[in-house]
Amino acid sequence: MKSIYIFGNWKMNKTFTETLEFLDQFKKEYKKNKKNLREDMTFGIAPATINIPAFQLNEVKELKLCAQNVSCYESNAHTGAVSSEMLKDLNVEYTIVGHSDKKKDNNESHEKTNLKVRELLKYDITPIVCIGENLEEYEKGLTEKVLKNQIEEIFKNVDYSRIILAYEPIWAIGGNNTPAIETIQKTVEYIKTLTSKDIVIIYGGSVSINNINEIFENTCIKGFLVGNASLEVNKFMELLKAKKYEKQQ
Ligand code: PGA
């Protein structure tokens, strides 16, 4: 796997038409900016599931297609669900699972997230697996305990070398509040002791051009899962070409 990852999670934003407009504009900006991007960077967008087919018209092959969710089942009687096989058929390479929005909206259990991870791996789609503590847990100093529990349940029978783990403190999502750099680093080190020293860990929660370099340079974080700042081509491109990436090896 390459060493830096930046994925945009569009959540429930953009219509099919707006998705096509983004891709068209991205193509133009990418041409202009390609030389300013690190060569060892992997980047992609997770559009709403219904808009995944718009990426058939994506002409920038470096812009990877991600999904925001997948069924934990293989096929058959699961009305409204989308399987790993269906995603694979549309060239999806990465899929977010266990996002706190899903836990909030659908009460998704860790057991279901684990099944999703394993389904995706059957089809060689890389799961981007979210874990993180909520505000109350953070304030009570329970972060490590909560993460340990999530890791034990979500990663049962999962090969850490085949996944990307996204550490997303739930309280940091969708605002402009992030944990202190030392806290992020301490948490990442802790996650590594529970999983593998080589696991790819990315960070998500209020990532923007104002904090991306600082987090990247001062922690073992290998990349970012970005919500709001990935919705506009210019903002997303700013993140991709954040200057200090060029220095970091
Ligand atoms: P945010 O979202 O960057 O808007 O905080 C991140 C996420 O939910 O993955």
Side-chain angles (χ1 to χ4, degrees), residues 9 11 99 168 172-175 204-207 225-229:
N9 172 13
K11 311 184 184 182
H99 191 280
E168 295 210 306
I173 294 174
S206 299
V207 173
L225 184 57
V226 187
N228 282 333

Side-chain angles (χ1 to χ4, degrees), residues 75-94:
S75 62
N76 283 325
H78 301 287
T79 303
V82 168
S83 70
S84 294
E85 186 182 17
M86 293 171 189
L87 296 180
K88 185 72 182 181
D89 190 49
L90 288 171
N91 306 318
V92 169
E93 291 184 66
Y94 298 84

Side-chain angles (χ1 to χ4, degrees), residues 19-33:
T19 304
L20 288 176
E21 281 164 8
F22 180 99
L23 291 175
D24 190 45
Q25 207 191 331
F26 187 83
K27 181 178 75 181
K28 292 176 191 141
E29 287 303 310
Y30 184 69
K31 254 192 187 161
K32 279 193 244 158
N33 289 292

Side-chain angles (χ1 to χ4, degrees), residues 171-218:
W171 55 272
I173 294 174
N176 41 32
N177 223 357
T178 60
I181 296 291
E182 307 76 55
T183 311
I184 296 179
Q185 177 57 10
K186 194 172 148 261
T187 308
V188 170
E189 277 168 10
Y190 178 68
I191 294 171
K192 283 184 180 237
T193 63
L194 296 178
T195 54
S196 143
K197 69 176 177 23
D198 299 321
I199 190 170
V200 175
I201 304 176
I202 62 175
Y203 169 81
S206 299
V207 173
S208 74
I209 194 64
N210 300 324
N211 55 28
I212 191 166
N213 282 326
E214 197 191 357
I215 299 173
F216 187 73
E217 296 219 321
N218 298 299

